[in-house]
Amino acid sequence: MQTEKQVFSRCRDIPATAGIGLRQPHHQAFADSKPGIDWVEVHSENYFEMNTPPFDFLLKVRENYALSLHGVGLSIGSTDPLNKSHLQQLKAIIDIFQPGLVSEHLCWVSENNVYLQDLLPLPQTEAAIKHVVERIDSVQNYLGRKILIENVSCYLNYPHNEMPEWVFLAEVAKRSGCGILLDVNNIYINAFNHKFSAWEYIENIPKQLVEEIHLAGHQQIQAGDETLLLDHHGDKVLDEVWQLYQKTLNLLGNIPTLIEWDTQLPELPVLLAEAEKANKYLKLNHEYAA
């Protein structure tokens, strides 16, 4: 079996450069062009089925690029028991691909084992922190490695929230020992929609906890008389988010940065151009720090 022959012996670290979210419609163009980037990220669940063309393709990619696995289905914040089958499949592909980073969303996506088509936010309470920390501990112990958790976009506020989102995120990471995947676009969206300061959020995240950054596009919509921002991952990163990203790098230092693009996929060169733009910000920040 190919998966038995091709198991990577060690992890390949993710460098502090820009990578791309690699989606199946881009596989052929990626194989043909062999882009000059250092790393890619894929959705873990898309590779749970082994010995398929996508799985074999990712094995080839992993030979030449560092890899990050990003999950969407673990439902780390749910009250459902952790899905043992999901964890077993995740551990199996981690053991094969030896990714530099493994991440999940700080959210819930299931109830009574019914999976929903959204990443739903958690109440920002002490009880929720304790619940999620216990589950992250279980996941990290089972996988035998640290994971990162990502802040999600949020379109509602729970009336019983006890703390700001940034306090909630930082406390979960500090108490569980996991890292943070800081989605700068989601921070910008939540700050706009809920009228808080995006910069106050970022300033209050301990820099040593942040191990990856996500950037993506969003769109503006009208909800009655109210203007809202929607995280749709279907366009270029907006100028306002680039500006916030630059300030984030100035504060935190250079961090591996991923360009996400999941809907209305462009041609691969468009996505790579966004990564190159992020690399320019990273280079400027390195020169500034020096």
Side-chain angles (χ1 to χ4, degrees):
M1 252 171 65
Q2 187 175 20
T3 53
E4 292 176 346
K5 294 177 182 176
Q6 194 163 2
V7 175
F8 295 93
S9 61
R10 61 182 180 86
C11 154
R12 184 170 177 176
D13 291 339
I14 305 293
T17 60
I20 62 168
L22 184 57
R23 307 297 178 245
Q24 289 191 26
H26 286 149
H27 281 188
Q28 191 59 55
F30 192 93
D32 292 343
S33 62
K34 299 179 175 60
I37 57 176
D38 296 318
W39 64 285
V40 299
E41 186 168 276
V42 299
H43 287 153
S44 310
E45 294 83 359
N46 290 341
Y47 299 89
F48 280 180
E49 188 176 352
M50 301 183 188
N51 299 314
T52 62
F55 188 89
D56 292 342
F57 171 79
L58 192 61
L59 287 172
K60 293 293 186 183
V61 170
R62 176 61 180 81
E63 291 175 1
N64 299 300
Y65 297 88
L67 176 66
S68 173
L69 294 178
H70 186 50
V72 296
L74 189 55
S75 201
I76 201 76
S78 175
T79 56
D80 289 346
L82 286 167
N83 187 318
K84 291 182 180 179
S85 174
H86 188 109
L87 280 172
Q88 288 168 352
Q89 293 176 93
L90 178 58
K91 189 176 191 313
I93 64 170
I94 288 172
D95 290 345
I96 290 170
F97 288 105
Q98 295 294 312
L101 295 171
V102 176
S103 57
E104 251 294 349
H105 296 83
L106 184 58
C107 70
W108 58 282
V109 301
S110 66
E111 183 179 12
N112 295 324
N113 296 314
V114 175
Y115 280 78
L116 311 169
Q117 299 300 311
D118 208 346
L119 304 171
L120 299 168
L122 291 161
Q124 294 150 20
T125 65
E126 179 64 27
I129 291 173
K130 291 178 179 177
H131 172 70
V132 174
V133 165
E134 182 179 336
R135 288 165 70 88
I136 292 174
D137 284 344
S138 296
V139 170
Q140 292 185 141
N141 288 334
Y142 181 79
L143 298 178
R145 64 175 294 157
K146 177 195 287 189
I147 66 168
L148 311 185
I149 52 167
E150 179 183 8
N151 55 295
V152 298
S153 55
C154 174
Y155 307 101
L156 58 87
N157 271 323
Y158 293 101
H160 53 290
N161 280 348
E162 298 170 356
M163 63 194 76
E165 182 187 335
W166 54 88
V167 174
F168 181 76
L169 174 65
E171 282 300 308
V172 168
K174 284 188 287 188
R175 296 190 203 180
S176 68
C178 75
I180 290 176
L181 193 175
L182 196 67
D183 192 312
V184 173
N185 184 58
N186 285 347
I187 293 172
Y188 183 85
I189 288 170
N190 291 354
F192 182 93
N193 290 343
H194 299 296
K195 300 177 175 54
F196 62 77
S197 166
W199 185 238
E200 182 180 5
Y201 188 129
I202 291 168
E203 277 189 311
N204 281 283
I205 298 296
K207 60 188 284 186
Q208 71 273 14
L209 297 178
V210 181
E211 299 187 32
E212 184 183 348
I213 288 175
H214 273 186
L215 298 173
H218 64 258
Q219 65 179 153
Q220 183 173 295
I221 62 170
Q222 287 299 127
D225 295 330
E226 191 172 5
T227 301
L228 297 174
L229 300 183
L230 181 66
D231 179 36
H232 74 329
H233 291 191
D235 208 340
K236 293 180 179 180
V237 179
L238 273 69
D239 288 344
E240 297 86 350
V241 176
W242 282 119
Q243 292 165 16
L244 185 60
Y245 172 63
Q246 183 178 32
K247 289 181 67 178
T248 301
L249 293 181
N250 291 342
L251 179 68
L252 302 181
N254 283 6
I255 293 170
T257 300
L258 186 88
I259 303 296
E260 287 191 296
W261 201 319
D262 296 301
T263 64
Q264 304 175 56
L265 282 176
E267 296 297 314
L268 181 60
V270 176
L271 182 57
L272 293 170
E274 288 288 275
E276 181 55 32
K277 189 170 183 178
N279 272 326
K280 288 178 181 178
Y281 279 101
L282 288 159
K283 182 179 179 182
L284 286 171
N285 191 63
H286 176 75
E287 293 171 350
Y288 172 80

